[in-house]
Amino acid sequence: MLKIESRGYESRFWRYASPVLALLLTGATSGLIFMAMGRPAGLTVYTFLIAPLLQQDGFEALAVKAAPLIMMGVGLSLAYRANVWNIGTDGQFTLGAICGGGLALAFPDAPSYVIFPAMVVAGILGGMLNGGLVAWLRIRFNANEILTSLMFAYITQYLLVYLVTGPWRDPQGFGFPQTALFSDDALAPRLIEDTNVHIGILLAPLIAIGLWFMLEKSLLGFQFRVLGQATRAARFAGFRENRLVWIAMLISGGLAGLAGLLEVTGTLGQLTTTLSPGYGFTAIIVAFLGRLNPLGVIPAGLLLALTYLGGDAAQINLGLPNAVTGIFQGILLFYLLGCDILLLNRFRWVPSHAKAAR
Amino acid sequence: MNDAVPSGPLLTMTGMTKQYPGCLANDHVSLTVERNQIHALLGENGAGKSTLVKIIYGVVKPDEGEIVWDGQKVTIQNPGHAQRLGIGMVFQHFSLFEALTVQENIALGLGSAKERVGLRERIVRISNEYGLPLDPDRVVHDLSVGERQRIEIVRCLLQNPKLLIMDEPTSVLTPSEVRKLFVTLRRLAAEGCSILYISHKLEEVRALCSAATIMRLGKNVARVIPAEKTVKELAEIMINMDLHAPTPRPLAPSSAPPRLVLDKLTIRSPNHFGTDLKDISLSLKGGEILGIAGIAGNGQSELMDALSGEILAGKPESVMIDGIAAGHMGPHERRRIHGCFVPEERNGHGAVTTMTLAENAFLSGFTRRALVRFGVIDTKKTSAFAENIIKVFDVRTTGPKAQARSLSGGNLQKFLVGREVLQEPAVLVINQPTWGVDAGAALAIHEAIMALAEGGAAVMIISQDLDEIFVLADRISVIAGGRVSEPVLTRDATVESIGRLMGGGSAPAATGEMEIA
Ligand SMILES: Nc1ncnc2c1ncn2[C@@H]1O[C@H](COP(=O)(O)OP(=O)(O)OP(=O)(O)O)[C@@H](O)[C@H]1O
Ligand SMILES: [Mg+2]
């Protein structure tokens, strides 16, 4: 009989091996699913994970997709380490895009050195506003942030739909649910001319490194870690829980708002009803795959960005439905959380009714 | 050879070895427990006692060694297996779910639904019979350490074990509770349940145990009959050093200024079943040690939290530290005005067990030791501070990078007391200063506290150990039902007079008994 027994300590090996195992299991399981759908497993996994990178601008596309995932994943790993379960970054992303984008629409003639920085600030503030409301509800009314942050994700999505189909709809847009294009001055600066490679791609890893330093080396980061591991000890040390909840929600919300603003100014150039292909939820997977470590979030963000590209490729080349991206990501999160049982436990084969000697 | 021999010893262990990274916790240890015997397992902090009994209970897998239980050679797979064999254990650190009630916690430990039939009545009966009053409906979160321990003991007794292992059961009990427990244990032994008893309280061991196995640094050093040795002799075998009584200290001059003043401190306990503090007024001079005696659950933890700043007082003036109204200050600000605190619970309150010793040194030391520069942790200074605590307080560990949970209970306690004492506080409040530390370390902690007082600090000791209070304190107060009695000079007090005060008032223990009756 297979038994799970406690190790009594956390395995260092499995700390790093468990995400790798989860990835392998995800590959195997999705291969099986593809086979059940009548597609050769090997080819599909290849189409999904490798082919997109062999495209001409494969790495560019990957970086563009990874940037928002990394920014949000970093904010989430910080919040989760402090036991603040923000799962509504999709909403914070959207509100950031709305606030920044609204500014671009309101001042189409403003010069670039004024309008873009102002939009960045507005985007961050929009995300913070959304995150701050969640923090306030938790502190003031003891409302569970898992529920409230998720609810806000829906509210902001409907706000976006209302705006782009109503007051902000482009009068010259033939009735399409979208706003006018932003002026060129309101677009994110490019790192490479005539591509989508915008400054967010540079910012994302810098933010990750900065927040890693904050979490591991600073007093504030220490406070987050203590709060996450032992609330009473945090109180004994004099760390104020409410203040930390505020900061965690403002940082993770603000980063999501920034990601949203960069997404609309970096790739879309206008507001539409679907700004995020579930980035906010994918960022949760990114945070866990990165072991809630901001540096780990960088490769994790790249990997999940790849699943978006792979999903597109599978749709175009193999005629698979778009839902495969979500399925793949869901399987990955499932195995990630599941494999973590190996951190504190091990599996052992014991002959049934072993009473006497081993 | 596997034939049952019911007349032989109940448990024989030979050659038990357990290697932890950087520490050989058990090095070919042998242990024999006879039937109907109360057997003591003695040894200094970190000697490997808890490790050995965790092996018996199936929590820790030995690297080598043979266990013969009831005449049969066995490999104990896990605690469930141990329980089926008839082994029960009360841990040094409890494993209770804080959010659940007493009854729910006990029910979770039982295997089948059948065992849960009539559980409530059995809990009430056993706890009453054995002098361990418990209200099955109280939530564990709101219970003191002493009360939590009662749950663990009752949980074991419900299973009618053949061997009951108790890892430092009395460190948190009052003398009268200990006396009642001993009556229980003697009766259990007479009824056929052997007891393996770990304690640092050698008086108790002499009174209770008919045999003792003594360990040092992971090895057996002796097997003795405790009654034939004096406490001093036992201690010296254990720690291999000469024990002396702490040198008496002159009383603080009456002209010394007050450093800690409580003025009608009244606090509603944040816990539903906690004890409210009522009108506590006290004044401690520099150079003075005040002992607060009392039975667990009479407001000790609330008093501790009110002093440390985890619970804020209604009026700033109700807590004055060195003349500064501190009632509205949090722990961090109180440390800044030279207050330091050691809470009762080590795991998850005084220390974060999953963090390193260096990080734990930082936890409460960063304010006074200036371990932060421009918002960044000064790792070098932090590590040096942790290193210093380890050295001065003789903490047995691999170094500042060791996780707090890898330390033996007593060694972590030494670290936590050392962390506060070395911050040179003007006011030090300690709840249970020597909980679970061996005689040598207790002496070292006592001497450190006395030296601190001699240097001009005001020290408040909250302890259920009357011996400790009589050794340390200049004056003694009793906390009962959230009220604190007028302090009396230790030289005018007797154990009996203090004990009477402790029993009085509306102690929850007493109400518990009334509900059950
Ligand atoms: N999980 C672990 N990892 C590493 N070392 C450990 C671990 N558990 C215990 N040790 C070490 O093993 C030694 C023995 O520990 P043990 O808890 O058995 O001591 P003890 O005799 O019960 O002491 P005390 O009286 O202080 O409770 C200690 O030096 C301790 O640091
Ligand atoms: Mg121990």
Side-chain angles (χ1 to χ4, degrees), chain B residues 20 23 25 45-51 92 168 200 406-410:
Chain B
Y20 282 119
C23 172
N45 294 130
K49 306 177 296 293
S50 295
T51 305
Q92 186 171 14
E168 304 191 27
H200 292 293
S406 76
L407 266 64
S408 77

Side-chain angles (χ1 to χ4, degrees), chain A residues 153-351:
Chain A
Y154 292 116
I155 295 174
T156 42
Q157 177 58 30
Y158 285 119
L159 175 67
L160 175 72
V161 171
Y162 164 73
L163 288 173
V164 298
T165 56
W168 289 7
R169 189 206 298 250
D170 181 7
Q172 273 99 53
F174 308 102
F176 281 109
Q178 58 192 31
T179 66
L181 287 173
F182 301 156
S183 73
D184 281 353
D185 289 334
L187 295 182
R190 309 284 137 159
L191 299 177
I192 307 173
E193 288 292 325
D194 298 323
T195 64
N196 275 343
V197 181
H198 56 84
I199 57 163
I201 287 149
L202 188 66
L203 275 179
L206 290 181
I207 289 171
I209 293 167
L211 281 196
W212 173 83
F213 185 83
M214 191 271 252
L215 194 56
E216 299 297 329
K217 305 285 172 193
S218 77
L219 174 60
L220 183 62
F222 182 79
Q223 300 190 12
F224 283 122
R225 288 187 283 132
V226 173
L227 182 66
Q229 291 175 51
T231 323
R232 283 220 74 184
R235 244 179 276 154
F236 166 71
F239 304 155
R240 293 204 297 275
E241 179 173 358
N242 288 353
R243 177 171 164 267
L244 293 174
V245 171
W246 271 111
I247 299 178
M249 281 308 304
L250 290 179
I251 291 183
S252 56
L255 283 175
L258 176 63
L261 182 275
L262 289 172
E263 183 70 10
V264 290
T265 56
T267 60
L268 301 175
Q270 65 183 159
L271 297 181
T272 66
T273 51
T274 47
L275 297 180
S276 151
Y279 279 150
F281 300 104
T282 306
I284 299 173
I285 307 177
V286 169
F288 279 106
L289 182 62
R291 304 259 68 158
L292 303 186
N293 175 342
L295 293 185
V297 161
I298 299 177
L302 287 168
L303 182 78
L304 279 145
L306 187 57
T307 65
Y308 277 115
L309 299 183
D312 289 346
Q315 204 177 350
I316 296 165
N317 300 336
L318 302 175
L320 286 170
N322 196 22
V324 289
T325 311
I327 292 174
F328 192 86
Q329 293 183 357
I331 296 173
L332 180 59
L333 181 62
F334 173 81
Y335 278 124
L336 268 177
L337 299 179
C339 286
D340 273 0
I341 195 176
L342 287 167
L343 285 183
L344 293 172
N345 302 281
R346 67 179 140 226
F347 287 94
R348 224 165 59 112
W349 182 260
V350 283

Side-chain angles (χ1 to χ4, degrees), chain B residues 149-407:
Chain B
Q149 189 192 42
R150 291 181 206 154
I151 306 176
E152 297 274 2
I153 298 177
V154 169
R155 166 145 84 186
C156 288
L157 294 187
L158 279 169
Q159 308 201 335
N160 298 320
K162 278 196 243 174
L163 174 68
L164 182 60
I165 303 169
M166 308 195 90
D167 197 349
E168 304 191 27
T170 59
S171 14
V172 288
L173 303 184
T174 58
S176 74
E177 286 174 312
V178 170
R179 270 195 299 279
K180 282 187 197 158
L181 178 66
F182 283 7
V183 173
T184 311
L185 296 184
R186 289 205 182 91
R187 205 168 89 201
L188 280 169
E191 287 169 8
C193 173
S194 301
I195 287 156
L196 183 56
Y197 189 87
I198 299 182
S199 176
H200 292 293
K201 297 189 174 171
L202 301 173
E203 292 285 7
E204 293 177 6
V205 168
R206 285 189 66 240
L208 184 70
C209 303
S210 54
T213 297
I214 305 184
M215 296 175 66
R216 191 193 310 145
L217 298 173
K219 293 196 181 76
N220 288 95
V221 288
R223 191 185 155 110
V224 301
I225 296 177
E228 292 174 354
K229 302 270 178 207
T230 65
V231 165
K232 197 159 175 294
E233 282 166 348
L234 283 175
E236 283 166 5
I237 303 176
M238 245 167 80
I239 59 180
N240 199 18
M241 80 177 210
D242 184 31
L243 275 181
H244 54 94
T247 30
R249 195 172 45 90
L251 277 186
S254 51
S255 61
R259 302 205 86 159
L260 175 64
V261 178
L262 304 185
D263 181 28
K264 299 205 183 66
L265 177 67
T266 300
I267 278 178
R268 276 195 77 80
S269 172
N271 297 335
H272 194 44
F273 291 106
T275 308
D276 299 340
L277 300 181
K278 296 166 198 117
D279 267 337
I280 297 182
S281 296
L282 287 170
S283 172
L284 270 79
K285 293 191 289 266
E288 183 182 41
I289 302 178
L290 175 72
I292 308 269
I295 299 170
N298 272 283
Q300 285 95 334
S301 48
E302 285 82 1
L303 179 60
M304 183 72 217
D305 289 353
L307 290 171
S308 72
E310 286 183 56
I311 310 178
L312 299 185
K315 278 193 313 173
E317 297 78 26
S318 36
V319 180
M320 305 280 286
I321 296 177
D322 262 349
I324 301 171
H328 282 183
M329 291 182 176
H332 178 62
E333 288 80 21
R334 293 191 195 194
R335 286 191 191 108
R336 195 165 271 157
I337 56 171
H338 315 297
C340 281
F341 316 94
V342 184
E344 174 181 20
E345 175 66 58
R346 306 187 261 262
N347 298 331
H349 192 187
V352 185
T353 46
T354 45
M355 285 186 158
T356 65
L357 291 182
E359 286 172 309
N360 275 294
F362 181 88
L363 183 72
S364 80
F366 73 92
T367 321
R368 301 183 52 72
R369 281 311 192 97
L371 300 177
V372 179
R373 283 174 57 205
F374 307 111
V376 176
I377 299 172
D378 188 334
T379 31
K380 240 176 148 171
K381 245 169 116 180
T382 303
S383 182
F385 177 42
E387 195 96 58
N388 196 29
I389 302 170
I390 292 170
K391 203 176 90 218
V392 175
F393 280 80
D394 188 28
V395 179
R396 306 286 163 80
T397 172
T398 47
K401 289 211 177 76
Q403 279 202 345
R405 66 168 166 194
S406 76
L407 266 64

